[in-house]
Amino acid sequence: MDVDRILPTDEAHDLLDLATELADRELAPRAAAFEQRAEFPRDVLRTLGRAGLLGLPYAEEHGGAGQPYEVYLQVLEILAGRWLAVAEAVSVHTLSCHPLARFGTDEQRKLLPDMIGGELLGAYCLSEPQGGSDAAALTTRAVRDGDAYVVTGTKAWITHAQVADFYNIFCRTGGPGPKGISCLLADRATPGIAPQAAERTMGLHSSPVAQIAFDDARVPAERLIGGEGAGFTIAMSALDSGRLGIAACAVGLAQAALDYAVDYARQRRQFGQAIIDFQGLGFDLAENATRISAARALTLAAARLRDADRPYSIEAAKAKLFATDTAMRVTTDAVQVLGGAGYVTDHPVERYMREAKVLQIVEGTNQIQRLVISRALARG
């Protein structure tokens, strides 16, 4: 069910209509088969890019659509309702464009049109094997050597590790702590950059995730984004936006699961009536419908703050926390509604449940979101 929305412009309505058309035509029919084969749908990302859906929140002068973040998130929700792996890929790619778009020089930003247009796919290299949530403690090091930085270390849990065309590498150029971190933009073909074997994940099988080893990889010094020591600020800025992207993905996935469960419950009959008419089941569905609406409202409210250039970090944390917890609950309940049928791959709800779990982990675990929110409360 596509939810009626109030959008700022006719152009925004047209973009959502376009997203719905492409999602129904290009995503929904392919999702199950690609997930079964664990095949990344690179051509779908190109199609979305050429349709202008990968650059929605970025400036038109750089090849973007200049749309409010509120509109971009609603597009993500539509995509996630048909195929979460694609929506997550769009979210990660948009996140990967953020450092250059916001902190790059005019000369560096000449790379943006191909990135935003989907011809070049991005990866965001922040997490490490021993440091996921504690980003300020990362150990991947970059040492200046003439006109380049020599990068050594390992990144972990990198979406698009094996298929990306460019990498945002967050690395240590100075001393310990956040002030010693910088951001480099590296091409995939850089010698010394070696994506490892893909992880065997619970869900999102068509989204490749892997470690990346950096073995004296020489990245041109002109690819330093924002200056030495700016990396942690860049990373946190991007993650605030990325958390809203994951929240929107969670809303779309939850809505898809609820819609499927409701449709099944209307048709499935037991004891002479549709099972949706049993109060114990119908009330659970009503509760989940309400949670999804609340998650959507939280997410879009945070987006409006971002669009108004007002502080939104705490609201993004709340949205990510609530929306992803909602997706986990709704997808689990959808499996329960279908009973034994929900536990087999003939129905998509078992995949929805497996996919929902990762949303509680990526872009900062939900424990970290609670920490961010509680610290804000403690500060008053």
Side-chain angles (χ1 to χ4, degrees):
M1 177 181 66
D2 288 319
V3 178
D4 289 334
R5 298 171 173 88
I6 300 175
L7 293 170
T9 63
D10 289 340
E11 183 183 8
H13 278 283
D14 292 342
L15 283 168
L16 263 62
D17 287 344
L18 174 62
T20 301
E21 177 187 345
L22 287 173
D24 288 340
R25 187 180 73 227
E26 303 289 342
L27 275 62
R30 302 185 185 186
F34 272 71
E35 289 292 329
Q36 186 175 21
R37 296 194 303 266
E39 180 181 347
F40 181 66
R42 183 66 179 91
D43 64 317
V44 173
L45 271 295
R46 286 194 182 92
T47 297
L48 295 177
R50 290 165 183 169
L53 296 182
L54 293 188
L56 289 175
Y58 292 118
E60 293 179 88
E61 63 189 276
H62 301 309
Q67 289 295 311
Y69 220 70
E70 176 186 2
V71 174
Y72 159 67
L73 294 181
Q74 291 178 76
V75 168
L76 269 188
E77 180 185 333
I78 290 168
L79 300 178
R82 276 69 169 182
W83 190 355
L84 179 63
V86 170
E88 192 238 11
V90 172
S91 181
V92 169
H93 178 72
T94 303
L95 181 74
S96 300
C97 294
H98 179 90
L100 185 59
R102 181 165 180 186
F103 297 93
T105 64
D106 289 341
E107 183 65 25
Q108 289 171 333
R109 286 177 180 152
K110 291 179 180 178
L111 298 168
L112 271 175
D114 281 344
M115 293 162 62
I116 288 173
E119 297 305 313
L120 299 177
L121 187 68
Y124 191 81
C125 306
L126 180 62
S127 296
E128 298 184 351
Q130 303 303 320
S133 297
D134 189 6
L138 64 81
T139 60
T140 296
R141 179 160 289 279
V143 178
R144 182 69 181 262
D145 180 27
D147 61 355
Y149 284 91
V150 179
V151 184
T152 305
T154 303
K155 293 296 181 178
W157 309 113
I158 306 304
T159 301
H160 302 158
Q162 299 167 317
V163 297
D165 300 296
F166 66 91
Y167 303 99
N168 291 280
I169 308 169
F170 292 90
C171 47
R172 192 162 297 284
T173 55
K179 293 183 179 179
I181 297 172
S182 298
C183 178
L184 293 170
L185 181 65
D187 294 331
R188 178 185 182 181
T190 303
I193 297 181
Q196 305 299 292
E199 304 286 357
R200 294 182 292 179
T201 55
M202 178 190 296
L204 293 180
H205 294 159
S206 60
S207 176
V209 176
Q211 291 191 357
I212 302 178
F214 299 91
D215 184 11
D216 292 339
R218 292 183 66 87
V219 180
E222 64 188 23
R223 290 293 190 88
L224 176 69
I225 306 297
E228 285 199 4
F232 191 77
T233 297
I234 293 171
M236 294 303 103
S237 171
L239 282 177
D240 284 340
S241 298
R243 284 168 180 165
L244 290 181
I246 295 301
C249 287
V251 172
L253 182 67
Q255 188 70 62
L258 177 67
D259 291 347
Y260 199 93
V262 167
D263 186 61
Y264 183 90
R266 286 171 175 165
Q267 298 180 48
R268 175 70 168 169
R269 299 186 66 82
Q270 294 285 278
F271 304 102
Q273 65 185 60
I275 63 173
I276 198 171
D277 293 327
F278 290 104
Q279 205 172 77
L281 190 148
F283 279 16
D284 281 347
L285 293 172
E287 176 92 8
N288 286 339
T290 304
R291 286 177 177 271
I292 292 170
S293 293
R296 181 180 294 113
L298 267 178
T299 301
L300 295 182
R304 293 182 193 113
L305 289 175
R306 185 188 187 280
D307 289 333
D309 200 25
R310 295 174 58 190
Y312 72 98
S313 296
I314 306 307
E315 299 310 309
K318 291 176 185 176
K320 196 272 182 182
L321 169 65
F322 188 79
T324 58
D325 279 355
T326 293
M328 192 72 250
R329 171 172 173 158
V330 173
T331 56
T332 302
D333 284 354
V335 171
Q336 191 70 22
V337 168
L338 270 69
Y343 199 66
V344 298
T345 58
D346 296 340
H347 298 275
V349 291
E350 61 84 28
R351 172 164 61 87
Y352 295 161
M353 186 178 76
R354 289 186 287 104
E355 291 174 342
K357 186 64 218 174
V358 76
L359 299 178
Q360 295 179 302
I361 299 170
V362 295
E363 310 293 11
T365 67
N366 281 7
Q367 285 75 18
I368 289 295
Q369 307 313 314
R370 291 180 173 91
L371 181 63
V372 167
I373 298 164
S374 66
R375 283 180 174 174
L377 293 175
R379 290 194 304 266

